[in-house]
Amino acid sequence: MDLYTLTNIEEGQKLLKESYDNIKRKVELRKINEALGFVLAEDIFARESLPQFSRSTVDGYAVLSENTYGGSSSLGIPLKIAGEIPIGVESKAVLKNQECFEVVTGSMLPEGSDSVVMVEHTEKLSGDEILVYRGLHEYENLILKGEDVRVNELLFKKGHRLRFQDIALLGALGMDFIQVESSLRVGIISTGDEIVPVSKKKLKIGEIRDINGPLILNRLRAIRGVEAVDLGIIKDNKNALEQGVIESLRKTDVLLMSGGSSIGAKDYALGIIESLGHSLFHGLPMRPGKPTIGGIIDGKLVMGLPGQPLSCYFVYEKMLAPLFICGEYIVKASVKGTLQRNIASVSGRLDFAPVNYDNGKVTPIFGKSGLLSPLGKGNGYIEIPFLKEGLLADSDVDVYLF
Amino acid sequence: MDLYTLTNIEEGQKLLKESYDNIKRKVELRKINEALGFVLAEDIFARESLPQFSRSTVDGYAVLSENTYGGSSSLGIPLKIAGEIPIGVESKAVLKNQECFEVVTGSMLPEGSDSVVMVEHTEKLSGDEILVYRGLHEYENLILKGEDVRVNELLFKKGHRLRFQDIALLGALGMDFIQVESSLRVGIISTGDEIVPVSKKKLKIGEIRDINGPLILNRLRAIRGVEAVDLGIIKDNKNALEQGVIESLRKTDVLLMSGGSSIGAKDYALGIIESLGHSLFHGLPMRPGKPTIGGIIDGKLVMGLPGQPLSCYFVYEKMLAPLFICGEYIVKASVKGTLQRNIASVSGRLDFAPVNYDNGKVTPIFGKSGLLSPLGKGNGYIEIPFLKEGLLADSDVDVYLF
């Protein structure tokens, strides 16, 4: 009889992150607008300032702030309109003392001005004079040249994952192509003699359509910068599976196998990983999810995931998803709620339970790990900490929404 | 002088949700594996049971549980092996009293069995006999026919948005094509005489490359089931903008315009919405983000978003993103942290501040709403509630991570 030696979750994550960081990635030149979620392959310095000129952020009059001192709703300060600066054009205007220029949001500001009074705080007199009913301070209602980004500033380091706001910033600086790592190719093989493809219409008794492949592939498809690779189904045959792994490694950077990760007679995943590469761990103190293998083959990350759908999902979510989404195991956002029923657990393992969150009420959804439907009946899950023997009704819990 | 009459945030959201729900959507037949994030256009009933046969969830022996009563680590109960049931094949085997069948995970169970003893809890004697060192209860280590899904069960109602686990469930039931609403087409027009495309290499002084278009488009691109439509840039010219809106409405279900949503001389958005359709509100008590317009033209949702990047982003995030992501304004997941500095606010408006969250410490990132970089320097944001005049250092805050 074989026994697991469990690796604790944090140690397992550390091993996986190291392996993930060491995966060799190709580099490509990519259009900035198609680079969301991609990882920079170069440090990025600003080639320009943003903005390249000082500009108004309101409709009003460009002024010298000290000319407006003392202005208030009961005391209008008179200034002479020296001209108008339309938007989108270069202005060579120079502001003189006691003068102002009419501007709109986005107009370039005249030399000599240091603030803009909003049109709402002025009154236009007949002729070319206004009254300013407010005292302004320096740099009010404008953006200085380079205030958003200074030319030559280091914007992002190599390895940074591009977020929506980073794409907008690089675009604004005219960087329409950038060097990034190619998308991370994550593939999954479903194993099992009873497993047939989703496209098979009429099942024979004894057959079951693939669940874990679509489950994980659709989780991966929600991540920008990741390419989900469907590697199909391989029967429980050691040679076929080994051949499948060798071929699949050509198409993937991370290879997942679902099923065959336990310690039974037909559980080939560990043997294959250890013959082609080496294993990092076998067995995690989590439930569901214990029969999990981490390994490396040819510098690529290879995981044996449990065949039970709930187990497969929670291992993916806890051990892999954070790496693919942001490259590390950061704290995960949650909503707070109150547990409506007791949940039993066992000290010495991290338990996961699907739950339904509704307006602060958290109801556990009980079901065997071999089922898929508990994930669908819920809208999130909770974790029961390692050293707890359960959670009592009325406990405050963190719910991780799907 | 024009003044806003502000619409409170919840009332604004209610108006937007009503309009969103009323948008007429086309229906299409879609491959299940390409349907993540799409909204069902039909009620879905299960055409099959899942699984279609009772199956083992472990490697071991199918037994009748009452035959094992009294078994324990110190008392093995003898049973006769009547045969083996391989995985993936139909079995007509019938279990008799005091017998068992050898099975693996996924094997169909013989008639007459009601539980499976794990191989770890047995000992194989010479010949065809085992000892069972455990008393089993009914339905242990198996999944009954229909335990995951019963045939004809209502699985999802029309209007349900398909999540990864729903796709896996429908696939497992052999439903490889489904009726869904076509993707929601959300387009954005950037307006402003000074705005030029990101692709323009060399700027003239007075010009600035588009920020809000890429910012919102890349936010939209992260949402499955949404098609982000780049509608380009239109100059501050009432006729050109009106023509652009009319043309853009043919390509979109939701039309966003950034800039021109305020009350200045060149702010045409409100006038155009009111001449082609009608407005729902003009002005929201949020900062940044006040100059926001909600409206409807030809049954489509049309929004005037502020031109300042931070304002544009926070209005999108608060008022629109939840509708596109899940169709309603549900509670948003957050991480808890402690504010490191005071933040001032004004009672009577909802304030948004970009922050950096690092290991429980939350540092506000100060910057004018006309800047983009505060979004990039942070990794999330906080809200300062409507009736608060600020938040003090050491307050507990909820951080919404980007």
Side-chain angles (χ1 to χ4, degrees), chain A residues 153-258:
Chain A
E153 185 180 338
L154 174 62
L155 292 173
F156 305 108
K157 288 195 181 154
K158 184 178 165 172
H160 176 76
R161 190 174 305 259
L162 292 169
R163 306 164 300 167
F164 66 98
Q165 64 269 56
D166 305 331
I167 305 273
L169 192 69
L170 293 174
L173 292 165
M175 307 184 75
D176 51 354
F177 280 86
I178 43 163
Q179 295 270 356
V180 295
E181 293 179 359
S182 298
S183 55
L184 184 80
R185 300 166 305 162
V186 183
I188 182 162
I189 300 171
S190 293
T191 73
D193 285 342
E194 82 282 31
I195 311 285
V196 298
V198 162
S199 56
K200 180 159 183 182
K201 282 287 170 201
K202 180 86 186 141
L203 298 186
K204 287 189 274 183
I205 291 288
E207 292 180 337
I208 188 161
R209 292 188 195 87
D210 188 17
I211 290 177
N212 291 351
L215 191 68
I216 300 304
L217 289 168
N218 279 287
R219 203 69 182 134
L220 291 166
R221 286 187 184 118
I223 308 174
R224 301 296 301 216
V226 166
E227 181 192 345
V229 185
D230 184 354
L231 299 166
I233 298 160
I234 299 181
K235 298 280 174 201
D236 277 329
N237 170 306
K238 194 171 182 203
N239 288 339
L241 192 55
E242 184 164 302
Q243 212 44 51
V245 166
I246 291 169
E247 279 166 34
S248 297
L249 282 167
R250 293 197 200 107
K251 303 178 223 166
T252 54
D253 302 303
V254 176
L255 176 59
L256 313 178
M257 285 180 274
S258 97

Side-chain angles (χ1 to χ4, degrees), chain B residues 110-350:
Chain B
E111 206 185 309
S113 67
D114 69 355
S115 55
V116 182
V117 59
M118 292 171 78
V119 67
E120 294 93 311
H121 300 138
T122 65
E123 184 182 355
K124 195 163 184 177
L125 303 179
S126 57
D128 56 0
E129 206 171 33
I130 60 166
L131 290 177
V132 177
Y133 289 105
R134 189 147 174 225
L136 294 170
H137 53 77
E138 218 180 6
Y139 308 138
E140 198 170 345
N141 298 326
L142 59 79
I143 290 175
L144 289 173
K145 175 179 175 175
E147 188 171 347
D148 221 345
V149 173
R150 286 187 318 280
V151 64
N152 295 327
E153 186 180 335
L154 174 62
L155 292 173
F156 305 107
K157 288 195 181 153
K158 183 177 165 173
H160 176 77
R161 190 174 305 258
L162 291 169
R163 306 164 300 168
F164 66 99
Q165 65 270 56
D166 305 332
I167 306 273
L169 192 69
L170 292 174
L173 291 166
M175 307 183 77
D176 50 354
F177 281 87
I178 42 162
Q179 295 270 356
V180 295
E181 292 178 0
S182 298
S183 56
L184 185 79
R185 300 166 305 163
V186 183
I188 181 163
I189 299 171
S190 293
T191 72
D193 285 342
E194 81 283 30
I195 312 286
V196 298
V198 161
S199 56
K200 180 158 184 181
K201 282 287 171 203
K202 182 85 186 141
L203 297 187
K204 286 189 276 184
I205 292 287
E207 292 179 336
I208 187 160
R209 292 188 195 88
D210 188 18
I211 289 177
N212 291 351
L215 191 68
I216 300 303
L217 289 168
N218 279 288
R219 202 69 182 134
L220 291 167
R221 285 186 184 118
I223 309 174
R224 301 297 302 215
V226 167
E227 182 193 343
V229 185
D230 184 355
L231 298 167
I233 298 161
I234 299 182
K235 297 282 174 200
D236 278 328
N237 168 305
K238 194 172 181 200
N239 288 338
L241 192 55
E242 185 164 302
Q243 210 46 50
V245 166
I246 292 169
E247 278 166 33
S248 297
L249 282 168
R250 292 195 199 110
K251 303 179 222 164
T252 54
D253 302 303
V254 176
L255 176 59
L256 312 178
M257 285 180 273
S258 97
S261 65
S262 191
I263 48 179
K266 289 196 142 196
D267 289 315
Y268 301 123
L270 184 66
I272 288 172
I273 290 173
E274 294 195 330
S275 80
L276 298 176
H278 68 276
S279 65
L280 298 165
F281 56 80
H282 187 203
L284 293 172
M286 58 187 280
R287 178 168 141 159
K290 184 170 75 173
T292 297
I293 306 163
I296 298 176
I297 302 176
D298 289 340
K300 294 177 172 182
L301 183 55
V302 181
M303 294 279 289
L305 302 177
Q308 310 285 24
L310 282 194
S311 314
C312 181
Y313 167 70
F314 282 117
V315 171
Y316 170 79
E317 202 65 29
K318 186 70 181 176
M319 305 304 288
L320 291 168
L323 289 181
F324 303 156
I325 293 169
C326 64
E328 55 189 327
Y329 297 95
I330 57 166
V331 60
K332 188 166 170 161
S334 62
V335 296
K336 289 263 178 229
T338 307
L339 198 59
Q340 303 297 301
R341 293 183 55 176
N342 297 340
I343 302 191
S345 173
V346 167
S347 170
R349 68 182 191 211
L350 181 65

Side-chain angles (χ1 to χ4, degrees), chain A residues 142 148 163 224 372-373 376, chain B residues 148 163 221 368 372-373 376:
Chain A
L142 58 78
D148 221 346
R163 306 164 300 167
R224 301 296 301 216
L372 170 61
S373 54
Chain B
D148 221 345
R163 306 164 300 168
R221 285 186 184 118
K368 296 168 182 167
L372 171 60
S373 54

Side-chain angles (χ1 to χ4, degrees), chain A residues 55-69:
Chain A
R55 62 199 297 259
S56 177
T57 57
V58 294
D59 295 352
Y61 299 91
V63 300
L64 183 63
S65 56
E66 60 183 48
N67 283 174
T68 68
Y69 290 172

